Amino acid sequence: MPFVIKKRHPRHAVVAMSHRSRSDSPGRLRSHPVQSPSSRFDAILSVGSQPYLDPIPGHEQADFENLEDVDDVEDVEDMGAFNPHHVATAYQAAALPFYLTEFPKIRDFLQTNTSEEQDKTVLEVLPWMTGLTEEGRKGVPFEDGVPSLLRAEHIAFLHKWLGRLPPGAVSADASRPWFLYWCLLGLSILGEDISPYTERVISTLTPMQNSSGGFGAGSGHLSHCAASYAAILALVMVGGDEALSLVNRKSMWTWLGWLKQPDGGFALSVDGEEDVRGAYCAMVIITLLGLPLELPPDSPARKNDDDTFLTGLPEYLSRCQSYEGGISSSPGTEAHGGYAFCALATLCLMGSPHEILPRYLNLPLLINWLSARQYGPEGGFSGRTNKLVDGCYSWWVGGCWPLIEAALNGVQKMSFAGLGTLTGSLHNREAVLRYLLSCCQEPTGGLRDKPSKHPDAYHSGYVLAGLSSIQHTYYFSDTNYVLWWDGVTDPASDLGPKNESSEAMEKAPLALPLPAAFCWAGFKGEMKAGGQGQQTKQIFHERDRVAMVHPVFVLPWGKPESAGVWYSRKAGF
């Protein structure tokens, strides 16, 4: 499936202003007299003071008093635990914003299992963010406060995951299309040539395609929309006639018709679960393959002759927006960052973001919910309310922002005079960058959730996609790059094909069922230290910039357009 859903822990509220007593919880809460809201608020704001918080187990003996006077980073290693309420030392302050070096000033007095896990995560992350421990600096050279990208190590890790895996990986056999996609995506983002994998991708996926339509997660498996999505994206990445012609488009169209539901959504398999992932995966497949939008005659969702795959879909996605503002898997369930991206991207496949997103979603409420997913001092994103940060959400949540910002910016007219005024970033890119490069890189290669977790292909692919997203700026253009294709101009350049007098304009027009999907453009973005322009020096080196990823398809830049051209020029099925 496109993203992993993990167990939920009910995280504490940011500020609790009630007057109830904090007694009756041995070892968890410290009793105190009932206070007025104003006096309690003053206590919360006291710098370095957390009068009602018991020490976190295992950190009671930390030497907090002398940490402010440390001049040599090596001295910190003998001090025990990291001070959770410590404002940056001179060493740290030279590079890091203060909000990435200390616990939040406003905290709830109530301690729960979730709040303790959150505190432990902050204690785990801070030494990596600040480079105060030997472990935090091991193999990750700091420069301007930001570690370098371990490009060679990550490339080697991803190549290894595309090779023969150990016996323990047999449990992941049903994820083989996903392993291809995650690893090829990561390698492409890192600038690696993936063409040597073309034959292996074709030979691996060929037995997974079923005659009834779609791909299974393995040979002999029933077709599944998520597995089909991953398989097709892998084929599009390696490209070429043999890979692209592998897909039986007619049987795929028929099979997708059986997944379309009467309420407007899509199931992930025939008679299987229905959720927003199914809608996104199905619409990406339809768009890339250039499939007809009309429903097959035998589709169970077909009620009228004019019904299409789009019938009722925007309304279904609208019903998936929760009371919090986020997007849930289906109407009435919990909001999740992965579903938010799937819903936003699905709508952006169907129309221009400035028109379709505010028509079907409450954008202010969604922006509020997404903003709450970025935590300090970690800098990264969580996937749900009361969850911990995880590197993969740098894409699932971080990838929502370019789509929303494009909706606010409107259509940008391509001209040599430049673009119109673009909305500034709605999230803190610097904080995300620091979390990804400081905490999500395994020194020996691969990317991970957080320092205590092991790297894997899933996190490597999406952490790199998230890194790409924050290093680039995207917008919705008035130019369709499939229709403007000339076969020579490189679509991977910053703004896509640029030759307005191209011979492509004289060719027969290409039929695109959803043309808005191919109107995205982007360019290399800058990221200044401090996050708000207080300084002028970019906080990462150009050598650590990665390749651009399409903000809707999650494919290397230019790959959707090349596939769109190839499939659009095929007559019928």
Side-chain angles (χ1 to χ4, degrees):
M1 60 185 184
F3 49 86
V4 177
I5 298 179
K6 301 178 181 178
K7 182 179 179 182
R8 183 189 184 205
H9 299 283
R11 188 184 177 196
H12 61 285
V14 176
V15 183
M17 302 301 289
S18 66
H19 291 207
R20 56 193 175 90
S21 174
R22 305 294 188 184
S23 60
D24 304 324
S25 297
R28 299 288 297 283
L29 302 175
R30 185 174 298 174
S31 300
H32 60 85
V34 174
Q35 298 175 291
S36 68
S38 59
S39 63
R40 289 185 59 202
F41 193 69
D42 289 339
I44 293 172
L45 293 180
S46 299
V47 177
S49 174
Q50 300 291 334
Y52 306 117
L53 285 175
D54 286 329
I56 295 173
H59 298 275
E60 296 88 343
Q61 304 302 320
D63 186 353
F64 294 164
E65 296 180 359
N66 298 324
L67 194 54
E68 293 280 349
D69 300 325
V70 173
D71 293 322
D72 187 350
V73 176
E74 300 299 329
D75 295 340
V76 180
E77 298 172 9
D78 299 324
M79 287 188 172
F82 187 78
N83 182 357
H85 311 300
H86 162 60
V87 179
T89 62
Y91 172 81
Q92 299 165 269
L96 273 72
F98 75 92
Y99 51 80
L100 298 181
T101 65
E102 62 181 8
F103 268 56
K105 289 292 194 298
I106 300 177
R107 303 182 66 209
D108 190 358
F109 295 142
L110 178 64
Q111 285 183 275
T112 66
N113 289 335
T114 300
S115 67
E116 289 178 356
E117 288 299 315
Q118 172 62 22
D119 288 345
K120 290 176 182 178
T121 299
V122 173
L123 289 169
E124 173 188 340
V125 165
L126 280 176
W128 289 82
M129 291 285 282
T130 58
L132 278 177
T133 66
E134 181 179 0
E135 183 183 32
R137 297 190 308 275
K138 183 179 180 182
V140 186
F142 270 69
E143 195 162 348
D144 298 324
V146 178
S148 297
L149 176 67
L150 302 178
R151 191 182 300 266
E153 289 84 349
H154 301 327
I155 289 174
F157 176 87
L158 291 168
H159 280 306
K160 181 179 179 181
W161 274 75
L162 285 171
R164 185 176 295 276
L165 299 179
V170 68
S171 60
D173 183 65
S175 298
R176 292 171 69 194
W178 283 107
F179 281 115
L180 288 176
Y181 168 65
W182 295 328
C183 293
L184 294 176
L185 175 66
L187 289 171
S188 298
I189 293 173
L190 293 170
E192 189 77 348
D193 178 17
I194 62 172
S195 60
Y197 287 104
T198 301
E199 292 302 321
R200 286 183 54 191
V201 169
I202 294 171
S203 62
T204 299
L205 295 177
T206 296
M208 297 183 186
Q209 183 170 210
N210 292 312
S211 59
S212 58
F215 289 79
S219 180
H221 291 211
L222 295 175
S223 294
H224 194 278
C225 202
S228 298
Y229 163 90
I232 289 172
L233 265 58
L235 291 168
V236 167
M237 276 192 281
V238 296
D241 291 348
E242 186 179 2
L244 298 180
S245 62
L246 172 64
V247 183
N248 186 325
R249 295 169 64 247
K250 185 173 183 179
S251 64
M252 178 71 74
W253 176 68
T254 302
W255 175 69
L256 288 174
W258 279 91
L259 300 187
K260 176 69 176 178
Q261 300 298 298
D263 64 358
F266 286 82
L268 284 161
S269 60
V270 176
D271 297 327
E273 61 182 327
E274 176 190 5
D275 64 35
V276 173
R277 294 172 302 166
Y280 172 65
C281 293
M283 292 309 300
V284 165
I285 294 170
I286 291 168
T287 306
L288 286 175
L289 300 184
L291 300 180
L293 289 181
E294 57 266 25
L295 286 172
D298 59 349
S299 171
R302 191 180 184 97
K303 300 177 182 177
N304 304 299
D305 290 340
D306 59 350
D307 282 346
T308 72
F309 282 109
L310 306 185
T311 301
L313 180 55
E315 292 80 6
Y316 169 80
L317 297 173
S318 179
R319 294 194 299 273
C320 290
Q321 186 166 22
S322 75
Y323 72 94
E324 293 181 283
I327 310 296
S328 58
S329 62
S330 56
T333 56
E334 183 187 14
H336 187 285
Y339 296 125
F341 173 79
C342 288
L344 286 167
T346 302
L347 290 171
C348 288
L349 289 170
M350 293 186 281
S352 58
H354 76 289
E355 293 178 343
I356 198 166
L357 294 189
R359 183 184 305 164
Y360 293 104
L361 296 175
N362 184 330
L363 281 186
L365 198 60
L366 177 56
I367 290 171
N368 180 72
W369 184 84
L370 287 171
S371 298
R373 303 280 64 73
Q374 188 168 20
Y375 292 175
E378 304 98 300
F381 295 105
S382 70
R384 288 180 282 170
T385 303
N386 299 331
K387 287 285 289 182
L388 305 175
V389 294
D390 185 331
C392 71
Y393 294 117
S394 62
W395 177 261
W396 293 122
V397 175
C400 293
W401 290 116
L403 308 182
I404 291 176
E405 290 163 6
L408 300 178
N409 290 326
V411 177
Q412 297 295 309
K413 184 175 179 58
M414 290 290 297
S415 70
F416 291 106
L419 302 171
T421 301
L422 299 178
T423 299
S425 179
L426 295 179
H427 65 297
N428 191 319
R429 295 188 184 214
E430 177 185 357
V432 181
L433 179 89
R434 290 184 181 276
Y435 179 72
L436 296 184
L437 293 183
S438 299
C439 301
C440 296
Q441 294 195 93
E442 175 66 37
T444 57
L447 295 113
R448 60 198 179 192
D449 167 346
K450 53 179 65 72
S452 60
K453 303 296 184 180
H454 295 293
D456 56 51
Y458 167 83
H459 284 91
S460 294
Y462 287 123
V463 167
L464 288 170
L467 178 62
S468 174
S469 179
I470 61 173
Q471 289 183 342
H472 297 89
T473 298
Y474 299 92
Y475 60 93
F476 188 80
S477 170
D478 65 342
T479 301
N480 184 294
Y481 293 114
V482 171
L483 299 180
W484 198 10
W485 194 278
D486 62 10
V488 176
T489 306
D490 182 10
S493 62
D494 277 357
L495 298 179
K498 301 176 182 179
N499 184 4
E500 199 162 341
S501 61
S502 166
E503 294 180 2
M505 305 303 291
E506 302 174 3
K507 296 177 181 178
L510 301 174
L512 294 174
L514 296 171
F518 300 102
C519 292
W520 289 85
F523 56 89
K524 295 177 181 178
E526 295 183 338
M527 199 177 305
K528 307 298 185 181
Q532 303 298 327
Q534 297 98 326
Q535 303 180 39
T536 59
K537 188 174 183 180
Q538 183 163 288
I539 64 172
F540 68 91
H541 289 277
E542 280 300 313
R543 66 171 178 264
D544 292 332
R545 189 184 292 276
V546 296
M548 195 153 55
V549 172
H550 196 286
V552 176
F553 292 105
V554 204
L555 281 169
W557 196 254
K559 291 295 185 180
E561 290 76 12
S562 61
V565 170
W566 196 92
Y567 286 115
S568 294
R569 285 180 176 159
K570 291 182 69 67
F573 288 114

